[in-house]
Amino acid sequence: MLCNVSRPKWAGGLYEGDEHKRLEALHLAEDLGADYVDFELKVASNILGKQYSSHQSGTRFIVSCNLDCETPSEEDLGYLVSRMQATGADIIKLVFSVNDITEIARIFQLLSHCQVPIIAYSVGERGFVSQLLSPKFNGALVYGSLKGTPVSGLPTVESLRQTYKVGHINADTKVFGLISKPVGHSKGPILHNPTFRHVNYNGIYVPMFVDDLKKFFSTYSSPDFAGFSVGFPYKEAVMKFCDEVHPLAQAIAAVNTIIRRPSDGKLIGYNTDCEASITAIEDAIKERGYKNGTASFGSPLAGRMFVLAGAGGAGRALAFGAKSRGARVVIFDIDFERAKSLASDVMGAARPFEDILNFQPEKGAILANATPLGMHPNTDRVPVSEETLRDYQLVFDAVYTPRKTRLLKDAEAAGAIIVSGVEMFLRQAIGQFNLFTGKEAPKEFMREIVLAKF
């Protein structure tokens, strides 16, 4: 049991009551056998000296300090740790509020080199991984929020135990993560982490809120950070930070997977989105028994009109996949120049994004949404009008939160075959897992997780 009662407002908490009563409650916690009692640095020096003179219980004292300012330098952190250690604390605790994920590297360094038991982490979305990876870098304790009382930027106790299994993390654990902005919507951790454990691979997959790719890759350059998924909006921009790019990803000009090659530490970029999305669409058509008389390429997409909303990283993967199957691609993007550039690459056509709302496709056409429209929390947004959906034979949505988007619901009501982004997500994740681990992904196990939890 840990007791810190309510942290006072002067220490970054919410408590505004009588300070004497607050400290009395902390002393009582020791008398009642609390495993840990947490005192702020400001009051610890006076209290702990007296406390230790009659210290008979098994309670261990934590001395904590909340830092609201910019993450201190290595030298300043060393001085602060010395001050905290001098109070006689059993464990020292530092809580940061980082402005960039790269600042967390200083926290990891502190955890790794401190000579006393230490807890150090950051709150907020950009600091989220500091808690998850704390055990790898020798952190003494990990904090989580209780069910029903969430704390912004703090993992829940349930996720620490079930999703991330922090009790199994050690110095040899390889770190993988999703580079994205935002990143809170990601379902990657609840799929990859159980799968790592299923095949006895010592790895952890975490969400990484990244603001600056250059700073990120220059900071996290050690073999510990073994691979990355790449999400919105970085699938194109991340290519210039790869030392090598697989030919398919090079042709698409978008990377969604990076591995750090163990032999030389170089970053190798891949694209698992392309085949994942196109095979999901093809299989859905085949399952419904539809045939295409012009399918000289052996694909039910051959000869069809393929209407694509979005020319970003996911859109590029879909466009190149559709072209490889002999489809005729029509691209709509809010950036018309980007749409024209992609259309040129796949010998397709480009149209202004506003035209898609009332665009009349050919009979049997495919519609693919590769924009964030419809993603949680803006779930009511759709790229096309309800009236035009009846003209599409199949509608695919790359968005997978929620599982069945408004677009897919409307398309299903209009009689179209629908393919959820969850299917694409699963298939691209299988490809990523193979690259991350060098092992064959347990496909059925991963599908069972997706069906149960997505």
Side-chain angles (χ1 to χ4, degrees):
M1 180 178 67
L2 167 65
C3 181
N4 67 357
V5 192
S6 289
R7 198 166 296 283
K9 204 158 189 178
W10 54 260
L14 299 175
Y15 181 76
E16 296 183 275
D18 183 87
E19 180 68 359
H20 180 70
K21 289 183 178 179
R22 188 182 76 87
L23 295 177
E24 278 188 339
L26 289 170
H27 294 315
L28 179 60
E30 183 199 359
D31 294 338
L32 294 174
D35 295 314
Y36 301 93
V37 176
D38 185 337
F39 291 98
E40 296 78 21
L41 175 60
K42 184 176 178 180
V43 300
S45 297
N46 292 331
I47 292 173
L48 293 190
K50 300 172 186 176
Q51 202 84 356
Y52 268 113
S53 63
S54 59
H55 187 49
Q56 301 294 326
S57 72
T59 298
R60 302 180 74 193
F61 295 118
I62 299 172
V63 172
S64 61
C65 181
N66 282 47
L67 301 167
D68 294 327
C69 57
E70 185 178 339
T71 308
S73 67
E74 187 177 343
E75 183 180 354
D76 289 342
L77 277 175
Y79 173 70
L80 179 57
V81 167
S82 296
R83 277 182 59 209
M84 297 174 77
Q85 190 177 358
T87 64
D90 295 300
I91 302 172
I92 61 175
K93 173 185 168 188
L94 289 165
V95 182
F96 302 82
S97 184
V98 301
N99 295 311
D100 191 280
I101 193 172
T102 56
E103 295 174 39
I104 298 172
R106 222 171 296 165
I107 298 175
F108 294 152
Q109 187 176 37
L110 178 65
L111 289 171
S112 299
H113 295 95
C114 192
Q115 299 302 307
V116 296
I118 183 170
I119 302 162
Y121 65 91
S122 173
V123 295
E125 194 170 12
R126 287 169 175 81
F128 192 75
V129 295
S130 64
Q131 280 280 54
L132 304 179
L133 300 182
S134 173
K136 175 177 173 62
F137 297 100
N138 205 33
L141 287 175
V142 177
Y143 284 69
S145 59
L146 297 174
K147 188 175 183 180
T149 56
V151 179
S152 177
L154 198 67
T156 64
V157 171
E158 183 181 16
S159 70
L160 290 171
R161 287 174 172 169
Q162 301 300 323
T163 301
Y164 298 103
K165 295 281 187 183
V166 292
H168 293 81
I169 299 170
N170 56 40
D172 296 324
T173 301
K174 295 295 184 185
V175 179
F176 302 87
L178 170 65
I179 297 170
S180 189
K181 182 181 178 181
V183 76
H185 67 282
S186 174
K187 304 264 187 171
I190 65 176
L191 177 59
H192 280 296
N193 286 309
T195 311
F196 284 151
R197 296 191 293 272
H198 183 73
V199 300
N200 295 316
Y201 183 84
N202 189 6
I204 183 171
Y205 185 96
V206 297
M208 295 174 163
F209 192 115
V210 175
D211 294 285
D212 186 314
L213 290 173
K214 184 177 180 180
K215 283 174 63 178
F216 176 83
F217 285 113
S218 64
T219 300
Y220 297 104
S221 58
S222 78
D224 284 325
F225 295 86
F228 309 97
S229 304
V230 184
F232 180 85
Y234 295 130
K235 293 185 180 186
E236 296 165 271
V238 80
M239 286 186 65
K240 66 181 179 182
F241 300 100
C242 296
D243 298 297
E244 297 176 18
V245 177
H246 184 271
L248 176 62
Q250 189 75 59
I252 297 170
V255 161
N256 80 312
T257 310
I258 297 174
I259 62 165
R260 191 181 304 281
R261 192 160 56 197
S263 60
D264 56 14
K266 289 188 174 180
L267 297 176
I268 318 300
Y270 296 86
N271 190 298
T272 66
D273 281 339
C274 181
E275 283 300 298
S277 57
I278 293 303
T279 58
I281 292 170
E282 287 179 317
D283 289 348
I285 295 173
K286 291 173 184 177
E287 285 171 11
R288 291 285 286 266
Y290 287 100
K291 295 182 180 178
N292 185 358
T294 63
S296 58
F297 286 79
S299 167
L301 297 183
R304 291 182 190 265
M305 174 181 282
F306 192 96
V307 178
L308 174 63
R316 292 192 67 85
L318 280 156
F320 273 84
K323 173 182 176 284
S324 74
R325 302 313 204 262
R328 294 174 292 113
V329 185
V330 182
I331 301 161
F332 297 80
D333 192 86
I334 197 166
D335 182 340
F336 189 45
E337 292 304 313
R338 185 165 71 166
K340 288 194 292 184
S341 175
L342 178 55
S344 175
D345 291 341
V346 298
M347 295 179 288
R351 301 281 294 270
F353 190 74
E354 56 269 21
D355 289 0
I356 196 173
L357 192 64
N358 298 304
F359 178 74
Q360 295 296 322
E362 296 176 1
K363 185 178 179 181
I366 308 295
L367 171 64
N369 175 41
T371 75
L373 292 176
M375 182 185 292
H376 179 80
N378 301 310
T379 55
D380 285 336
R381 301 186 67 190
V382 293
V384 299
S385 68
E386 192 174 340
E387 289 72 27
T388 64
L389 283 174
R390 65 175 64 92
D391 297 321
Y392 291 99
Q393 187 178 78
L394 181 145
V395 175
F396 167 84
D397 198 341
V399 172
Y400 66 87
T401 51
R403 181 172 183 167
K404 185 180 279 190
T405 61
R406 165 78 182 277
L407 174 63
L408 294 183
K409 289 177 181 177
D410 290 349
E412 188 174 45
I417 305 169
I418 60 170
V419 181
S420 168
V422 169
E423 186 64 33
M424 174 187 171
F425 174 80
L426 170 63
R427 296 181 186 217
Q428 64 82 30
I430 288 170
Q432 288 186 334
F433 188 90
N434 294 338
L435 291 167
F436 287 162
T437 66
K439 297 175 179 282
E440 187 67 29
K443 297 178 183 178
E444 290 309 310
F445 177 82
M446 294 176 77
R447 183 172 291 279
E448 286 173 9
I449 292 175
V450 166
L451 291 176
K453 297 188 176 182
F454 280 53

